[in-house]
Structures are given as C-alpha cells and as structure tokens.
Amino acid sequence: MNTPLARATGPAEKPAVSATENAVRILHTSDWQLGMKFAALGEDGQARFREARLAAIERVFTVAKDRHCDAIVVAGDVFDDNLLDRQVYRRAMDVLAGAPCPVYLLPGNHDPLDAASIYGKAEFQALAARETAPVIVLDDSQPREIPGRHDALAPAFVVGAPLKSKRASEDLVNAVAEELRSGAGAHHTSGDPGEAERRSEADGASRANDLGRGDSATAAEWPSKGEESIGVESLQGKNWDARINVLVGHGAVEGFGRAYDPSLINVAVAAEACRERVMDYVALGDTHSAIQLHEDSAVWYSGAPEVTAFLEPDGGGESNSGKVLIVDIAVDATRPREQARVSVEEAEVGEWRFLALAADLTSREDVEDFLAHVESLPRKRQTAVKYALSGALSLGDNAYLEDRLEQLKDGFAALYPRERLMNLKTLIDVEQLGEESFGSGFVGQAARALAARSESDGVANDALKLLFRIHSMNTHGASSPISNAKQGV
C-alpha cells in the first residue's frame, strides 16, 4: 500500500483498526553512531556534537512514548565503533536504560558482531532481561516477539539481519527473508499451531534465554480468540496467519549508480516478499537520509536522527536526516494472505545542521549578499558551514570578506573554506601597490614582488592578500578597506 508521507507533529493516538485487524506501531530509526567524531568542529564543537547525539536519542524515546509505539527498531550502527570512548559508552547505556518501550538494536557495519563487539558486554544482557522495556540485541535472525501487546489479535515479531563483519558477503536482508519463507516463521507456510510449536522445539526452543534476546513465541501460545469475542464468522484458526513480521537490516541497496556488489540489498525482491507476507515491513539503515525505497511503502531507510554529513548546494548529500519514522502495520485476520496495510510518517528529532555553501563573488555587493546569507542562518551554535567561493575580487573586497568571516566564525559550530573547491581570484590593482597602500619601504617592495608572482603562484597570492589585511589594519585601523562595516569586538 502506497501511503502518502506526512510529518508527525506531536502526540497522536494509534489509527483506528477494526476488530479483525492485528496492528502494531513501531518507531524505525538507525545510524545513531554514538561516539561519532567530526574533526572540523574543533574541541568545543566536538564535545557538544557528541552530547547532541545522545540528546537526540532521548528525543527519539520521547517521540516513541508520545506516539504510543509498541517498539523501537534501530537498523544498525547504534555506535560509531566497537572500540568506544568510556564516557560515551557509559552515557549511552544510561540513555538506553530510559527506553519507554522495547528497543531492538541491530549490529551494523560500524559496530558488527565481530570478536571486539561492544554487544558482548554483560550490561546488554541485563538490559535485555528487563521485564518492561527490554533493550534487545538482534544478534541472529530468529523472530522475537514484541512483548506487552496483551490485547492484540495476533503476535508481532522483529527479525534481524545482523552484520558479523564490516562487510557482508551477501544480501543479508533477502537471505533472512528466504529463511522465513522456507519455514522459520513465514506467514504462508502453515497456519497449524502444532506445526509451528514442533518446529520451534526442533530448532532448540528457549530463545528467550539465549543471551537475553527477548521473548520468543509459538503459535500454540496464541490460540484463536474465537468468533464470539470478535464477532467474525469462521475466524477460528486464522490468528496465527495474521501475525506481523518486521525485518530489520543494514546496508546499501541496489541502484543509486552503484557497481555490482553481492552485499547490495535488492529492494524489489524484499518488497515482493512483503507482498507475499513473508515479512510486512523492512526497516533499513545505512543511508543517513530518510528515503522511501519502494512504492508499496514497505521498505524504508529511516535516516539518522541527528545529522552526520553535509547538505550540498544542489540538494545532494545528506538531505533528509534528523528524522525518525512512525510505522503503522495492520493485517486483516479474515484475509491474512493479503499484503499488510502500512503507513509511514516522519517525525523531526534532529537539531544540528551541516551546510555546504557555494557563491560566485565579483563585487562588494556579491560579498555583502553572501555574508548576509551566512549571518541569517539560524541555530548557529548547532550549525557547521563549509563554503566554496569562486569569482574575482579586489584586494580590498577580499580582505573585507575574510575579516567578516573571521568575525562570524566564533558564532558557529564550524565555519571554514572548502579548500579543494575554493577558486576565488584576487584582482591585482597596480594603484593599490603604490605608497598609499603599502608605503615605499620594505612592505611596499615585498607587495610588488608578491604581485609579480601572484597570478601563477597561489601561495604568493595568499601571502599578498594577508599582507594587505595586516598592513591595512596596522595603518588605517577602523577606516581600512576591510572595515567598511561595523567591527566586532
């Protein structure tokens, strides 16, 4: 079902469902990358950015509580690395302890289930063993029942496709889908509770005791509620077929101009499996912008809850991060073979922005327009800006630009030139090289020597611009060419 996208704006009750529908609401998020470093922010900005990522998770939990979500699925890269700073780890565990509902953590390529896996710590087992709001690591592909849905018509399961190393060797999502299709929980294989129970016992049963992975369930634990309780004739025995599977995966998908790679997730195959009700929704992580990947609305990237990369001037780059997805899934128990009804809403949780700016400057007016745009940006303390400038300016206009940018810099999380894309030339005016600008002594001689080399030598050009700024400030102070605007403190 292709449901129009809407933005979640505040607390809301779950959508109305009929007496014959099994419904679940999950919050889909991914790529928290707790502990992520961003060198361009500097020491102060980095510390605040690290804290902001933790605060974003607390806002995720608030949204889940306000929107009455049954569970939260985190589709990979919970942590930026398995080797995590002690302070970040301690604070992350404190945040996870405040989860308002069951949370399912999928290991991704940043925090895979390898020998150094952070998920091997005993503290994760303790969080998983909690009676209410357990935090469960999806360390295998066994279906895990979402607890606490006591009035539900049928169970709902979360199924993981965890990464065991930083690079997968196959399409893990559809490999797990094939496991479900072949009998480990697939909807269409059997509606016989006894068969499901026998299969569970044969597989070793007791999933709940395996590394605190959460509740497992068999069909025998979900007897039909009967036609009397729900008022539908011949519903007996259909409840197990109305169960819901949410598959959680992490990785790049086919398309987007990528070369062939066996690990790429085939979205079309995953969507077809949802139509067949092998699973009902595929929650993906890896790309940090929220993206609907199929017209059925059954396969999505959630994007990161807080920004991780720059939004480019052309709209590319990280264009839709800072979001989580509220996903409602409903299956009609009277028609359990029909595709689940899925609707998805975006909810805004991010506060930081990374912006890449570009401008062509050929006059003082162009300079003023660019500076006005930079100065107008909101939430400067949570905004990092890198800029690429092209064009040509006089020594005076260039010095004025650099002076004003230097003044604005301290207000931002980061403000810096994108060196490899900078192509702003300096026009050398012969008159500016006379005594009036540089004097007749050594400074003037040095300026003229640099000017002679500046057209073909970028270092000489930069040196001439710096010399002009320093000499103007020392000689003319507030009346210098770089000061034709109000000076900062």
Side-chain angles (χ1 to χ4, degrees):
M1 177 178 180
N2 186 14
T3 303
L5 188 73
R7 299 191 190 284
T9 56
E13 297 296 331
K14 293 181 182 178
V17 296
S18 73
T20 65
E21 284 188 317
N22 180 33
V24 68
R25 170 175 282 185
I26 65 166
L27 186 150
H28 171 195
T29 179
S30 69
D31 299 281
W32 293 358
Q33 291 189 214
L34 300 177
M36 177 184 177
K37 296 179 175 64
F38 199 84
L41 294 176
E43 186 175 347
D44 169 68
Q46 178 60 56
R48 291 190 295 106
F49 183 62
R50 186 171 63 180
E51 177 59 28
R53 304 200 73 77
L54 292 166
I57 308 315
E58 293 174 325
R59 290 192 295 277
V60 170
F61 288 171
T62 297
V63 171
K65 181 178 179 180
D66 288 347
R67 301 304 302 271
H68 309 286
C69 294
D70 295 299
I72 297 169
V73 296
V74 189
D77 288 356
V78 179
F79 301 99
D80 194 53
D81 196 282
N82 275 326
L83 303 176
L84 206 62
D85 177 89
R86 286 173 46 194
Q87 186 181 72
V88 173
Y89 172 77
R90 179 69 270 141
R91 293 179 178 179
M93 299 308 288
D94 289 344
V95 170
L96 287 171
C101 61
V103 178
Y104 297 87
L105 307 177
L106 181 79
N109 61 295
H110 276 262
D111 52 2
L113 285 173
D114 57 18
S117 176
I118 194 170
Y119 299 111
K121 294 181 180 291
E123 202 161 357
F124 283 100
Q125 297 182 43
L127 284 173
R130 300 194 309 182
E131 290 189 10
T132 59
V135 178
I136 299 160
V137 177
L138 298 172
D139 56 358
D140 59 27
S141 58
Q142 291 294 326
R144 292 167 170 81
E145 185 193 345
I146 298 173
R149 301 173 63 254
H150 305 298
D151 297 328
L153 188 64
F157 296 96
V158 175
V159 186
L163 272 76
K164 304 296 179 69
S165 62
K166 287 188 174 292
R167 287 188 60 85
S169 60
E170 62 176 334
D171 177 349
L172 294 175
V173 167
N174 286 302
V176 172
E178 281 304 307
E179 291 179 18
L180 292 172
R181 192 192 303 274
S182 65
H187 295 280
H188 62 285
T189 54
S190 173
D192 174 16
E195 180 182 340
E197 185 173 24
R198 289 191 296 273
R199 184 171 61 245
S200 177
E201 291 173 354
D203 288 342
S206 190
R207 297 171 192 160
N209 295 325
D210 188 4
L211 196 56
R213 288 170 181 154
D215 295 335
S216 63
T218 65
E221 296 169 342
W222 283 88
S224 172
K225 293 185 177 181
E227 59 186 66
E228 181 177 348
S229 63
I230 58 177
V232 177
E233 187 176 0
S234 302
L235 191 58
Q236 183 76 17
K238 292 184 179 178
N239 296 41
W240 180 246
D241 286 339
R243 68 196 181 277
I244 292 170
N245 278 344
V246 175
L247 198 157
V248 187
H250 187 90
V253 299
E254 290 185 356
F256 295 94
R258 295 186 176 99
Y260 172 74
D261 182 329
S263 70
L264 294 178
I265 298 166
N266 189 318
V267 172
V269 171
E272 183 61 28
C274 290
R275 289 179 176 177
E276 296 173 3
R277 297 219 53 242
V278 175
M279 60 265 197
D280 300 294
Y281 179 77
V282 181
L284 294 181
D286 183 63
T287 292
H288 295 179
S289 292
I291 304 174
Q292 179 176 334
L293 293 168
H294 194 271
E295 62 182 3
D296 284 354
S297 201
V299 187
W300 279 76
Y301 277 128
S302 67
E306 193 60 89
V307 66
T308 61
F310 283 88
L311 171 63
E312 295 293 333
D314 63 359
E318 197 168 294
S319 59
N320 196 32
S321 58
K323 310 288 180 63
V324 296
L325 303 179
I326 308 298
V327 184
D328 287 297
I329 308 167
V331 173
D332 190 334
T334 64
R335 297 187 295 274
R337 294 180 185 273
E338 292 186 2
Q339 184 174 4
R341 177 165 54 87
V342 179
S343 64
V344 179
E345 303 177 26
E346 289 182 1
E348 189 93 36
V349 294
E351 292 187 345
W352 280 58
R353 294 191 305 166
F354 288 178
L355 302 176
L357 304 181
D360 186 64
L361 309 180
T362 59
S363 67
R364 175 62 71 96
E365 184 180 4
D366 291 343
V367 171
E368 295 287 11
D369 287 345
F370 173 69
L371 292 171
H373 176 60
V374 173
E375 198 161 8
S376 70
L377 293 172
R379 302 202 310 265
K380 293 180 178 62
R381 287 180 297 133
Q382 290 86 34
T383 301
V385 176
K386 61 181 180 181
Y387 52 87
L389 304 178
S390 59
L393 294 174
S394 69
L395 274 172
D397 288 345
N398 186 85
Y400 170 68
L401 170 67
E402 292 186 357
D403 184 60
R404 292 289 291 120
L405 288 172
E406 189 67 28
Q407 292 177 33
L408 292 170
K409 180 178 178 180
D410 288 339
F412 284 86
L415 178 63
Y416 61 96
R418 200 172 186 177
E419 296 292 355
R420 68 182 181 86
L421 297 181
M422 286 291 286
N423 190 30
L424 184 61
K425 306 297 184 183
T426 304
L427 299 174
I428 306 302
D429 188 340
V430 176
E431 294 182 1
Q432 287 185 326
L433 302 181
E435 293 185 13
E436 183 178 342
S437 295
F438 289 104
S440 60
F442 173 77
V443 174
Q445 294 176 24
R448 286 185 285 275
L450 290 170
R453 298 168 49 193
S454 64
E455 190 170 337
S456 60
D457 187 337
V459 174
N461 188 277
D462 290 341
L464 179 60
K465 290 187 290 185
L466 180 59
L467 180 62
F468 181 76
R469 290 184 66 198
I470 294 172
H471 184 72
S472 296
M473 288 291 290
N474 290 338
T475 304
H476 304 291
S479 63
S480 73
I482 66 174
S483 306
N484 294 338
K486 183 178 179 179
Q487 295 295 300
V489 177

